Amino acid sequence: MPDATDNRFANPAPDDPAHLVIQGDWILEHYAELRRLVQRLRNTGTRYVQANLQQIGRLDTAGGQLLTELLGSELIQQLATDAESLPEERRVLLARIASSLQQDPEPQPRHNAVFELLGNVGKHTLIQYEHVRTLLAFIGLTLVGMAGGLLRPGTWRLTSIVAQIEQIALNAVAIVALLTFMVGAVIAFLGATVLADFGATIYTVDLIAFSFLREFAVLLTAILMAGRTASAFTAQIGSMKANEEIDAIRTLGLNPLHILVIPRVIAMMISLPVLTFIGMLSGMLGGAVVCSLALDISPTMFLNILQQNVAVQHFYLGMAKAPLFAFLIAIIGCMEGFKVSGSAESVGEHTTSAVVQSIFVVILMDALAALFFMEMDW
């Protein structure tokens, strides 16, 4: 134990070694000397249960931290609460220092890697379940709103629907036509390469027609709309949410679902079948060009083979998927927009989420439709 006569900062009480009398200036200027003192007193193993701070001189944050290390956070908290003779600013300082030291995180116990993996799988399963539940609820709200609109045709916002059709369909015709044209040409080259080994290059026409009428035209167009339009819906509605414009719509007594969601859903359900039809024509045109240049299949022969070998039902099956894909893409884009919390970062996160979810749902529904058509022998 340090001798009381040699210590000008802290001395045990004469009748109680666990009672420490604090004195002198506990400030940054004396930090090195105070640090050595605190270390010596802690090395004695004495647990101080009481302290007298009335004789203390100046005190700053550095001194308060050392004092808390010496006496402990609990005793400092008690002194800051009960020592009414201390000035208010010193009591607040000591209380905050003790509180901050008490909040140091304890080291987390190490868990088994298998348990952590199972925990993460369970957590993400619950997140996906909640997301599917929210999506189904939003689909239900939209269907109810659209059914109510059928009973009240005067509530349709035709101007908004036409404006959305222009943005969704007219502005996307060029990119859809170009993409499907190039994919049709690639499929024709691939079919010619593979079928030439069997002397059946003439069936390249059937390959192009079946693939674009049933699958590629609607699938490529839907994926383009998922990346182009679903992200636009999320960004537009999310920005309105961040700027509190949706709250203003509700304040005016209007339903954001009728103003923002239903016009976009209807416009998408009109636009995607039209773009799908353009994609079918463009894809087969690309295949016809390759067939004419590389396989000596003239356009007249190409059309004759189409008429003889390809039934019109394949066109109907491809077009039947377009409204379903359009509905899901528009719903997901709008729903993610309403989930935006208000910051620009949130807008970006939900925009990315809308694109990923839309593409995933489109491919999933296309796979299920293909299985269903196969089982029905269509």
Side-chain angles (χ1 to χ4, degrees):
M1 182 74 64
D3 190 1
T5 58
D6 296 333
N7 191 348
R8 60 192 180 106
F9 295 109
N11 294 292
D15 55 346
D16 186 3
H19 185 172
L20 199 62
V21 178
I22 306 299
Q23 57 194 17
D25 297 332
W26 286 66
I27 55 177
L28 183 61
E29 183 180 349
H30 303 149
Y31 186 84
E33 186 178 355
L34 289 170
R35 168 58 67 185
R36 289 193 295 269
L37 169 65
V38 169
Q39 191 62 39
R40 287 201 307 269
L41 292 176
R42 295 183 65 179
N43 289 339
T44 62
T46 304
R47 186 176 183 275
Y48 300 104
V49 298
Q50 188 56 266
N52 185 350
L53 305 182
Q54 296 181 3
Q55 301 181 27
I56 196 169
R58 291 180 293 168
L59 178 68
D60 61 11
T61 305
Q65 180 180 356
L66 292 174
L67 196 59
T68 305
E69 291 181 12
L70 176 60
L71 301 178
S73 299
E74 295 181 0
L75 181 55
I76 289 294
Q77 287 278 18
Q78 179 184 349
L79 293 173
T81 303
D82 300 337
E84 298 180 356
S85 59
L86 285 178
E88 179 66 22
E89 62 273 12
R90 290 190 176 179
R91 295 169 61 184
V92 172
L93 175 63
L94 292 174
R96 290 183 177 177
I97 293 174
S99 176
S100 64
L101 292 179
Q102 283 181 338
Q103 293 174 358
D104 288 341
E106 297 181 358
Q108 296 294 330
R110 299 183 63 183
H111 299 289
N112 187 283
V114 175
F115 292 157
E116 291 186 0
L117 175 62
L118 293 176
N120 289 331
V121 170
K123 180 175 68 174
H124 286 88
T125 301
L126 291 176
I127 292 174
Q128 293 303 320
Y129 169 76
E130 185 62 27
H131 178 76
V132 172
R133 207 164 135 279
T134 304
L135 177 60
L136 293 177
F138 196 79
I139 290 174
L141 287 174
T142 305
L143 290 176
V144 170
M146 295 176 69
L150 293 176
L151 300 177
R152 299 189 300 273
T155 61
W156 293 105
R157 298 180 175 272
L158 297 180
T159 302
S160 179
I161 294 174
V162 172
Q164 292 296 333
I165 290 175
E166 179 184 3
Q167 295 179 8
I168 297 170
L170 295 182
N171 295 343
V173 168
I175 187 173
V176 169
L178 179 61
L179 177 66
T180 51
F181 180 88
M182 292 188 295
V183 173
V186 170
I187 291 176
F189 276 120
L190 180 62
T193 302
V194 174
L195 296 175
D197 296 336
F198 303 95
T201 54
I202 194 67
Y203 290 105
T204 303
V205 178
D206 300 74
L207 174 64
I208 297 169
F210 280 112
S211 60
F212 270 91
L213 290 178
R214 294 181 67 103
E215 295 294 337
F216 282 163
V218 64
L219 187 60
L220 291 174
T221 305
I223 291 175
L224 273 177
M225 291 299 100
R228 182 180 182 274
T229 307
S231 59
F233 288 173
T234 303
Q236 291 165 2
I237 297 177
S239 299
M240 296 179 67
K241 181 85 176 293
N243 295 331
E244 300 181 354
E245 295 178 38
I246 295 178
D247 295 332
I249 292 175
R250 291 193 177 99
T251 303
L252 294 173
L254 302 175
N255 190 345
L257 187 75
H258 294 159
I259 296 176
L260 302 177
V261 177
I262 293 178
R264 286 175 166 82
V265 172
I266 295 175
M268 178 66 88
M269 294 180 68
I270 296 173
S271 301
L272 189 56
V274 174
L275 292 174
T276 299
F277 179 72
I278 294 174
M280 291 177 179
L281 296 180
S282 181
M284 288 190 292
L285 177 61
V289 170
V290 172
C291 289
S292 176
L293 298 178
L295 303 179
D296 294 329
I297 299 176
S298 66
T300 303
M301 182 182 299
F302 188 95
L303 292 176
N304 288 333
I305 295 174
L306 280 180
Q307 185 177 4
Q308 294 173 6
N309 298 347
V310 181
V312 72
Q313 74 174 28
H314 302 298
F315 168 77
Y316 293 147
L317 292 178
M319 293 297 296
K321 293 185 285 187
L324 175 62
F325 292 171
F327 180 80
L328 293 174
I329 291 171
I331 286 291
I332 292 173
C334 294
M335 182 189 69
E336 289 298 319
F338 281 103
K339 285 184 178 181
V340 171
S341 62
S343 63
E345 181 181 2
S346 179
V347 174
E349 290 176 355
H350 287 284
T351 300
T352 303
S353 177
V355 174
V356 174
Q357 291 179 48
S358 300
I359 294 176
F360 174 79
V361 169
V362 164
I363 295 176
L364 175 63
M365 295 305 297
D366 186 70
L368 294 177
L371 291 175
F372 176 74
F373 294 155
M374 182 180 67
E375 291 295 328
M376 297 299 294
D377 198 20
W378 288 350

